[in-house]
Amino acid sequence: MRFGRWTFDDETRELSHANGAVHLTTKAFELLRLLIVARPRVVPKGELQDALWPRVFVSETNLFTLISEVRSAIEDDARQPQFVRTVHGIGYAFSGETVDIRDVDRNDSASSAWELVWENRRFQLAIGERVIGRDADADVTLDSTNVSRQHARLVVSGDGVTVEDLGSKNGTFVNDRRLVDRTPVRVADGDRIRIGSLITTLRRIERASSTETEHTRTD
């Protein structure tokens, strides 16, 4: 399962992103799993406590500590959460968009991908959420004062690509049309995405199939 920049694998018990595995304690991993499985339902605190500490009485502080560990691992701000939402007096819910990797057509994924082109630079876009901005930690870093630190978000899935503005100062435009209200807009191969004053182009790139690659090597 992918959400944002993270991949959650229940079978291997691993949380990871582009820079490698992210450490979570056993109970924190289980808490994240419970919330993802139940999404978008709000899971009551008592239900979580019973699942994590069966037949053992623990205070709510223990649960809060695990929630904090999960949020720290996935860089989620409790005040403006993207993934783990607090429902005060009740419990917690996983509210982020997810992509089940098993549902992606593997043949299509192997033969094609997406990239964002800016001048002579090409940014490969893997499935999931990709933030565009001036911040060095952004997935697509555009070093310009016209670009906000977190300017726009691309969401890449097996169905295509969408883009939304993240409340930037100078706006995000698709083929000269300004995006508003943080509403995702579908973009296609060849569309121009203007980030502030910088013009980028979305490209679908085709890759040779394994049979074609092997044939080329043989020749």
Side-chain angles (χ1 to χ4, degrees), residues 48-178:
L48 291 172
Q49 288 173 309
D50 289 343
L52 294 168
W53 296 278
R55 298 179 298 279
V56 176
F57 174 79
V58 296
S59 70
E60 288 189 9
T61 303
N62 297 66
L63 181 59
F64 178 77
T65 299
L66 287 185
I67 286 288
S68 298
E69 181 183 345
V70 169
R71 282 177 169 152
S72 177
I74 60 178
E75 301 175 12
D76 200 25
D77 187 344
R79 292 168 296 182
Q80 294 182 314
Q82 280 187 281
F83 306 115
V84 179
R85 180 169 61 93
T86 299
V87 181
H88 294 287
I90 300 177
Y92 302 93
F94 190 89
S95 56
E97 293 185 10
T98 60
V99 176
D100 191 332
I101 300 172
R102 294 169 298 185
D103 291 342
V104 176
D105 186 333
R106 297 184 185 278
N107 291 329
D108 182 67
S109 297
S111 61
S112 64
W114 297 91
E115 65 180 6
L116 194 67
V117 181
W118 173 51
E119 295 182 342
N120 63 343
R121 299 184 64 185
R122 296 176 180 272
F123 301 91
Q124 299 293 313
L125 303 174
I127 287 178
E129 295 186 7
R130 299 289 171 260
V131 174
I132 306 172
R134 190 175 76 250
D135 198 331
D137 292 333
D139 300 291
V140 177
T141 301
L142 302 178
D143 189 11
S144 170
T145 56
N146 289 310
V147 176
S148 299
R149 292 187 178 278
Q150 293 193 338
H151 195 107
R153 179 188 293 117
L154 292 167
V155 178
V156 184
S157 69
D159 295 328
V161 183
T162 62
V163 61
E164 64 180 293
D165 185 76
L166 296 178
S168 66
K169 178 180 178 180
N170 295 313
T172 302
F173 301 76
V174 174
N175 297 328
D176 297 325
R177 180 167 65 91
R178 184 165 187 161

Side-chain angles (χ1 to χ4, degrees), residues 1-38:
M1 187 75 67
R2 282 202 182 105
F3 59 93
R5 297 188 294 120
W6 287 267
T7 299
F8 178 89
D9 192 329
D10 190 21
E11 293 182 359
T12 63
R13 305 285 297 182
E14 186 176 56
L15 176 69
S16 61
H17 58 38
N19 295 328
V22 178
H23 175 72
L24 275 178
T25 61
T26 301
K27 286 197 181 296
F29 185 93
E30 181 62 17
L31 172 58
L32 179 57
R33 187 191 71 80
L34 289 168
L35 294 176
I36 289 177
V37 170

